[in-house]
Amino acid sequence: MTSTESTRALDFIRTIIAEDLKVDKNDGRVVTRFPPEPNGYLHIGHAKSICLNFGIAAEHDGGRCHLRFDDTNPTKEEVEYVESIQEDVRWLGFDWGPHLYYASDYFGKLHDYAVQLIRKGKAYVCDLSPEEIREYRGTLTEPGRDSPYRNRSVEENLDLFQRMRAGEFADGSRVLRARIDMASPNLNMRDPVMYRILKVSHHRTGDKWCIYPMYDFAHCVSDAQEGITHSICTLEFEDHRPLYDWFLDQLDVPCHPRQIEFARLNLTHTLMSKRKLLKLVEEGHVRGWDDPRMPTLSGLRRRGYTPEAIRSLCERIGVAKRESVVDIALLEHCIREDLNKRAPRVMGVLRPLRVVIDNFPEDRVEEMEAVNNPEDPGMGTRKVPFSRVLYIEQEDFREDPPKNYYRLAPGREVRLRYAYFITCVSVVKDQGTGEVFELHCSYDPATRGGDAPDGRKVKATLHWVSAAHSLEAEARIYDDLFTKPNPGDLEEGEDFTAYLNPNSLVHLTSCRIEPSLAGAVPGSRYQFERQGYFCVDPDTPKSGKLLFNRTATLRDTWAKIEKSQKERQAEAG
Ligand code: ATP
Ligand code: MG
């Protein structure tokens, strides 16, 4: 155990597990599972559950965590999702070893358990329509009413269930229900549906089944089949726990796992629901599940996020039972912290402005020595070519500079990073538009490396590239996907897509990057000096041009939030 682990208090789930181990429950085993439904791509909320389940398993000798696809709803599930989920869990840094399972592996067993319940008089076939079932269920304040089919004989139930399975009845015409208590204060216990008829092909079992088990029945039985000791899920399942326990108490199952609920991860300015994310994809609001604006793991990966940064977020937010919304600035803080340590620094100009150094010889090229990462001297240095025609950032020049603007302006001297001091001598404008088109500058040969021997100071240092040597590139600059801090919190009749940020993507097509990035491979990450962290997009090889996604700006809004929180706390005493 490292010192941070030994001094950090255990969260409430780890405390429960430690106590179970102390009394030698489950013979000292710790077996968890991550049970996604393959109906979409994983999002960062799932990362919290993955880190928790795989993390706990790794903390115990012989502990293990299963990856189980909860594939009980054939109408919404696809192989594409099964594959992406495995890729994402691996990418996050976790390994289920041989323990890959599917709820559909247990369809046979689940059927037999259902028959067991029928034989015990604890389940019955009900002919009410879905609307009638809802109507009979009652409300939070009124008890439900018994279905007229509730007292069918065991023989009749066995016969009808067998015929449901054989495909004799239409979809929706009958269901199998648990026979519990229509007056229970917990609505989940009012004879919940266990099986429904769905004449739909399943991605793994094909047309073998036309009845499919419901989540509540399938989940607890799957957990028990796999010898799960702690079945960790999110708070919305708290009210389902009595049902989870009821099924396992009635059935002759190998073990009875303990269900523990925790609060989901919510992040500001985004959404964590596969259903809503699917809508964004299907309606074309984003380019796909892996659009770098999406909170999906594949989107974050394409954006340039590292698994380390995501795991670090999950560690910082911890695990609790209280619902909360985490500021997305904290996620950005985590990626900055990670990339600051390891991303090589380079110079890239996003919106180029041509600069001609009039007193620099036409065909001369000088190699300037640049530091790859000031945080890590071991990353060394590289040479950056300097020549007579350069590009700087448009926003680094103002013809009429406001107060406190220290960058380049007519007559003003600034430093070019790793190169020389330059002074703006004249401005060339487009005759038609009046737009600044080119600057003419002079350089001081005595300032090579960035300092003046006479000790004169400049107030700004600009990044630049050599026009002839730089590479063409495109950059996609991202902002929050939603303008509303909590886009899930809507008035009646409102649609969450109304709050999509129209400026969530700005596409810059004429960027210029220093030549050391030639051949940069997709997924590699850099800090463009003064601009932010960028990651090479996977479409780069087929486009023939370097395509970058901006991962994050350099501005750390989280640090500001934290500072003001601390100040407020200090004021409060
Ligand atoms: P969604 O609403 O996005 O479809 P889900 O809960 O239906 O999410 P599942 O595929 O059933 O998605 O989730 C697999 C596991 O991940 C479950 O144990 C679930 O509790 C957990 N999970 C899902 N969303 C979050 C979240 N935002 N924070 C923490 N855990 C989550
Ligand atoms: Mg779900």
Side-chain angles (χ1 to χ4, degrees):
M1 223 183 241
T2 67
S3 61
T4 52
E5 274 172 297
S6 56
T7 51
R8 206 179 45 222
L10 294 182
D11 59 58
F12 82 98
I13 296 181
R14 288 175 165 90
T15 304
I16 291 174
I17 294 174
E19 280 163 5
D20 284 350
L21 284 173
K22 225 183 274 168
V23 298
D24 212 26
K25 206 172 152 188
N26 311 307
D27 309 317
R29 285 175 312 122
V30 175
V31 186
T32 57
R33 85 286 171 268
F34 173 64
E37 183 182 352
N39 62 346
Y41 280 59
L42 295 181
H43 51 63
I44 185 158
H46 292 113
K48 177 174 180 180
S49 174
I50 295 167
C51 290
L52 183 61
N53 280 293
F54 281 92
I56 286 173
E59 288 158 21
H60 295 94
D61 283 340
R64 58 177 211 253
C65 180
H66 298 182
L67 174 62
R68 184 200 316 135
F69 288 102
D70 165 31
D71 57 349
T72 51
N73 183 358
T75 57
K76 290 191 177 154
E77 294 160 6
E78 283 176 32
V79 177
E80 177 195 348
Y81 300 141
V82 169
E83 287 168 358
S84 74
I85 289 171
Q86 296 186 48
E87 184 186 353
D88 288 348
V89 175
R90 275 203 205 95
W91 176 76
L92 256 191
F94 299 103
D95 184 4
W96 52 88
H99 300 288
L100 175 64
Y101 304 102
Y102 294 83
S104 55
D105 293 342
Y106 312 128
F107 281 173
K109 285 219 166 95
L110 283 158
H111 168 271
D112 296 347
Y113 281 124
V115 170
Q116 230 184 70
L117 280 183
I118 295 173
R119 287 194 201 284
K120 291 175 79 171
K122 301 281 186 175
Y124 63 98
V125 173
C126 180
D127 304 358
L128 292 179
S129 67
E131 299 74 45
E132 288 166 327
I133 290 183
R134 210 170 308 131
E135 195 195 307
Y136 273 71
R137 187 181 296 132
T139 63
L140 283 172
T141 49
E142 286 165 60
R145 283 179 292 141
D146 285 0
S147 159
Y149 306 98
R150 198 172 197 264
N151 295 319
R152 276 178 162 150
S153 68
V154 168
E155 287 66 37
E156 191 183 1
N157 281 319
L158 286 173
D159 173 63
L160 286 171
F161 187 53
Q162 185 274 331
R163 289 164 62 195
M164 274 170 67
R165 185 194 170 178
E168 282 189 31
F169 310 124
D171 286 11
S173 61
R174 288 191 162 88
V175 291
L176 182 73
R177 298 176 71 175
R179 194 167 185 276
I180 309 179
D181 178 7
M182 288 307 292
S184 171
N186 184 335
L187 272 78
N188 295 304
M189 300 299 274
R190 295 184 188 170
D191 293 10
V193 174
M194 294 168 56
Y195 264 97
R196 57 193 168 148
I197 304 171
L198 265 183
K199 292 184 175 150
V200 174
S201 256
H202 184 280
H203 70 106
R204 296 192 82 238
T205 58
D207 293 323
K208 181 160 184 223
W209 296 91
C210 64
I211 53 171
Y212 290 96
M214 301 302 287
Y215 174 87
D216 281 319
F217 178 54
H219 199 80
C220 56
V221 169
S222 305
D223 280 349
Q225 289 309 305
E226 293 173 18
I228 301 299
T229 57
H230 298 87
S231 179
I232 302 168
C233 59
T234 35
L235 277 180
E236 69 272 22
F237 293 104
E238 196 165 28
D239 291 343
H240 296 237
R241 185 171 2 114
L243 182 55
Y244 184 102
D245 288 332
W246 185 87
F247 280 125
L248 296 184
D249 286 342
Q250 302 303 319
L251 297 168
D252 185 13
V253 284
C255 68
H256 189 142
R258 174 166 183 179
Q259 178 180 307
I260 309 170
E261 310 85 17
F262 69 99
R264 345 172 37 95
L265 168 64
N266 299 297
L267 279 180
T268 59
H269 298 284
T270 192
L271 283 168
M272 301 282 175
S273 148
K274 282 181 279 180
R275 187 177 56 78
K276 289 179 182 166
L277 297 176
L278 175 64
K279 184 174 152 97
L280 294 179
V281 173
E282 282 182 335
E283 293 182 359
H285 299 292
V286 293
R287 291 174 37 178
W289 283 100
D290 68 345
D291 186 301
R293 290 168 290 181
M294 291 280 269
T296 51
L297 296 180
S298 51
L300 289 164
R301 176 164 65 235
R302 189 164 189 171
R303 174 97 169 234
Y305 271 76
T306 60
E308 289 82 358
I310 293 173
R311 295 201 305 259
S312 158
L313 174 83
C314 293
E315 197 168 307
R316 274 163 205 251
I317 58 177
V319 183
K321 254 188 156 2
R322 193 169 51 86
E323 290 288 358
S324 70
V325 185
V326 172
D327 197 310
I328 199 159
L330 179 59
L331 174 65
E332 291 165 0
H333 174 77
C334 292
I335 186 64
R336 266 185 214 108
E337 196 175 65
D338 188 25
L339 293 182
N340 182 42
K341 283 182 292 187
R342 52 171 151 163
R345 274 53 171 174
V346 296
M347 292 198 282
V349 174
L350 298 178
R351 295 174 177 88
L353 172 61
R354 225 171 107 93
V355 171
V356 181
I357 314 284
D358 292 328
N359 58 339
F360 196 87
E362 196 122 5
D363 44 14
R364 184 147 102 212
V365 180
E366 290 187 18
E367 298 284 336
M368 301 303 182
E369 172 128 324
V371 175
N372 288 335
N373 187 349
E375 300 290 319
D376 180 1
M379 286 172 71
T381 60
R382 68 188 185 287
K383 299 273 195 256
V384 185
F386 184 92
S387 67
R388 178 180 159 94
V389 183
L390 310 170
Y391 290 117
I392 65 165
E393 210 68 65
Q394 283 170 18
E395 62 182 20
D396 283 339
F397 172 79
R398 290 285 185 91
E399 198 176 8
D400 192 8
K403 201 166 164 262
N404 298 329
Y405 183 92
Y406 300 118
R407 294 173 256 170
L408 201 58
R412 179 160 316 151
E413 186 170 53
V414 297
R415 176 189 293 110
L416 293 182
R417 180 104 160 126
Y418 301 123
Y420 295 103
F421 284 11
I422 60 166
T423 304
C424 179
V425 180
S426 64
V427 181
V428 184
K429 291 190 200 172
D430 183 290
Q431 302 254 311
T433 63
E435 219 178 301
V436 176
F437 164 84
E438 183 176 277
L439 305 178
H440 284 263
C441 296
S442 63
Y443 87 113
D444 176 356
T447 58
R448 187 177 163 133
D451 286 302
D454 62 8
R456 94 186 172 270
K457 297 286 179 218
V458 288
K459 281 194 170 154
T461 302
L462 312 185
H463 61 277
W464 53 274
V465 293
S466 161
H469 301 89
S470 62
L471 310 171
E472 275 185 48
E474 295 187 10
R476 297 201 176 96
I477 308 296
Y478 301 106
D479 196 357
D480 291 335
L481 186 51
F482 291 95
T483 50
K484 196 176 158 82
N486 185 355
D489 180 16
L490 299 173
E491 300 292 321
E492 210 181 303
E494 270 188 327
D495 188 277
F496 69 93
T497 55
Y499 293 100
L500 279 164
N501 178 1
N503 304 315
S504 62
L505 167 61
V506 175
H507 191 174
L508 302 176
T509 53
S510 47
C511 313
R512 290 285 181 160
I513 309 295
E514 64 168 71
S516 71
L517 266 66
V521 295
S524 40
R525 307 175 182 93
Y526 300 90
Q527 184 193 104
F528 289 7
E529 296 216 19
R530 303 176 63 230
Q531 293 290 5
Y533 294 101
F534 288 77
C535 180
V536 180
D537 190 83
D539 282 347
T540 288
K542 67 172 180 249
S543 98
K545 206 183 198 188
L546 280 163
L547 307 179
F548 289 97
N549 294 309
R550 187 175 73 188
T551 313
T553 59
L554 297 177
R555 219 178 25 245
D556 194 341
T557 42
W558 179 253
K560 267 190 223 143
I561 293 169
E562 213 169 29
K563 188 163 167 251
S564 68
Q565 278 172 353
K566 283 201 184 118
E567 281 165 4
R568 251 179 286 142
Q569 276 165 8
E571 274 168 31

